[in-house]
Amino acid sequence: MHFEPASWALSALSVAAALAYGFVFERQAPSLARALVKALFLAALAAALHLAHAPGLFVVALICAAVGDFLLAFDKPIALPLGMLAFLIMQALYTLSYLDVLPPNPALAWLRHALAAAIGAVVLIYLVWLWREPRPGRSPVLAALAIAGALAIGGTPTLIALSGKFESFGMGGFSLTDPNLPLVVAVLIASIVFVWVRRDLGAVKLAGMVYAAVILQMAYTSLWLPWARWPVMLGAFLFLLSDGVLSAELFRMAPDAPARRITGPAVWWTYAAAQLLIAYGVACIA
């Protein structure tokens, strides 16, 4: 990939927009100017990478993220679900982009699986805390099963869609003739049952856990990239961290909570770092 002066200029504009939003606009009230600056961060980066002939799927993913940033910059009820949808598409496209550069025989597979298991366990524990029900009679075991079920429901379509590529890299894909398919179907049915039992979680929370499944799939896939692309793995981890803090802000913190003075900037800077690391790892490392 070769950067021409226009690509460098757009990259500089992207970084400038990220800094401007983080230092100036992040604390301001929602406005069109604030939303445009926020979206400019990844819109300019997408244009820069497009001119530099980066993978097309990755450029489209960045555009989806820019749309999501624009929507989530407004404090409107419709902004949250539409923004989540834009980022869900982005995460799926990131996963496809990673699969295009995966090696056929990943080294240290045991370490990759161990990291994936650790990240999955931490995310599950976090989600159980996030959606915990303090009311008497609410079983924490049922809550954990419902959340794990929602993750399974969210991840199954992605796994099926990408199973051919996963299988070719030894990552555990399956097909309609796979002998493990009945087990997958049984897990999916059980997941639906547990989610139905806890349907009082509400549509927004369940949609959030479906999104969590997709971002976990993205993070898991990043762990199978060549080790030289470690910025993508670090970026995926920072993405999980950023989204975790953001979800705590949305669903656990009061609007006037003092902690927001820390969590607000933390969400932006970890998110911006994640996007830049992933972009560098996918598009700029040979």
Side-chain angles (χ1 to χ4, degrees):
M1 195 173 71
H2 180 65
F3 273 68
E4 300 289 346
S7 292
W8 284 115
L10 286 166
S11 298
L13 178 62
S14 171
V15 172
L19 294 173
Y21 185 83
F23 286 117
V24 179
F25 289 93
E26 190 272 329
R27 295 245 178 242
Q28 293 185 4
S31 66
L32 180 60
R34 181 176 181 264
L36 289 173
V37 170
K38 189 178 185 182
L40 181 61
F41 165 46
L42 292 183
L45 183 61
L49 294 181
H50 174 68
L51 292 178
H53 306 292
L57 277 179
F58 189 74
V59 172
V60 174
L62 289 175
I63 294 172
C64 289
V67 172
D69 281 338
F70 181 82
L71 291 169
L72 293 178
F74 295 100
D75 188 17
K76 302 291 184 182
I78 193 63
L80 180 60
L82 290 179
M84 285 178 62
L85 177 60
F87 277 104
L88 187 146
I89 295 171
M90 181 214 72
Q91 300 293 0
L93 292 178
Y94 271 8
T95 302
L96 284 170
S97 300
Y98 300 163
L99 290 171
D100 285 339
V101 293
L102 277 170
N105 294 301
L108 296 176
W110 66 269
L111 178 58
R112 300 173 192 265
H113 280 302
L115 289 171
I119 291 173
V122 169
V123 170
L124 179 58
I125 292 170
Y126 172 76
L127 289 173
V128 171
W129 168 82
L130 187 69
W131 305 133
R132 70 188 187 279
E133 284 286 351
R135 288 178 291 171
R138 294 294 180 182
S139 168
V141 174
L142 267 183
L145 288 172
I147 289 167
L151 291 175
I153 293 170
T156 299
T158 306
L159 181 61
I160 292 173
L162 304 177
S163 61
K165 288 196 173 186
F166 285 159
E167 184 67 25
S168 65
F169 293 109
M171 293 172 60
F174 62 90
S175 67
L176 293 177
T177 59
D178 195 297
N180 293 320
L181 184 59
L183 176 61
V184 173
V185 173
V187 169
L188 186 58
I189 292 173
S191 299
I192 294 171
V193 170
F194 283 121
V195 169
W196 176 254
V197 169
R198 288 302 307 274
R199 59 189 181 277
D200 57 305
L201 283 171
V204 173
K205 293 180 180 180
L206 291 175
M209 285 183 280
V210 170
Y211 173 80
V214 177
I215 192 174
L216 271 175
Q217 188 71 73
M218 181 277 291
Y220 171 70
T221 308
S222 76
L223 293 173
W224 290 82
L225 288 167
W227 291 113
R229 296 181 187 266
W230 63 265
V232 180
M233 304 177 195
L234 178 57
F237 170 77
L238 288 176
F239 221 125
L240 286 169
L241 181 61
S242 178
D243 277 1
V245 176
L246 177 61
S247 60
E249 273 193 332
L250 290 172
F251 300 109
R252 281 294 173 189
M253 288 187 185
D256 57 347
R260 286 181 178 270
R261 286 178 289 183
I262 298 173
T263 58
V267 168
W268 176 253
W269 293 119
T270 52
Y271 168 75
Q275 293 286 26
L276 291 173
L277 283 167
I278 292 172
Y280 175 73
V282 169
C284 302
I285 296 179

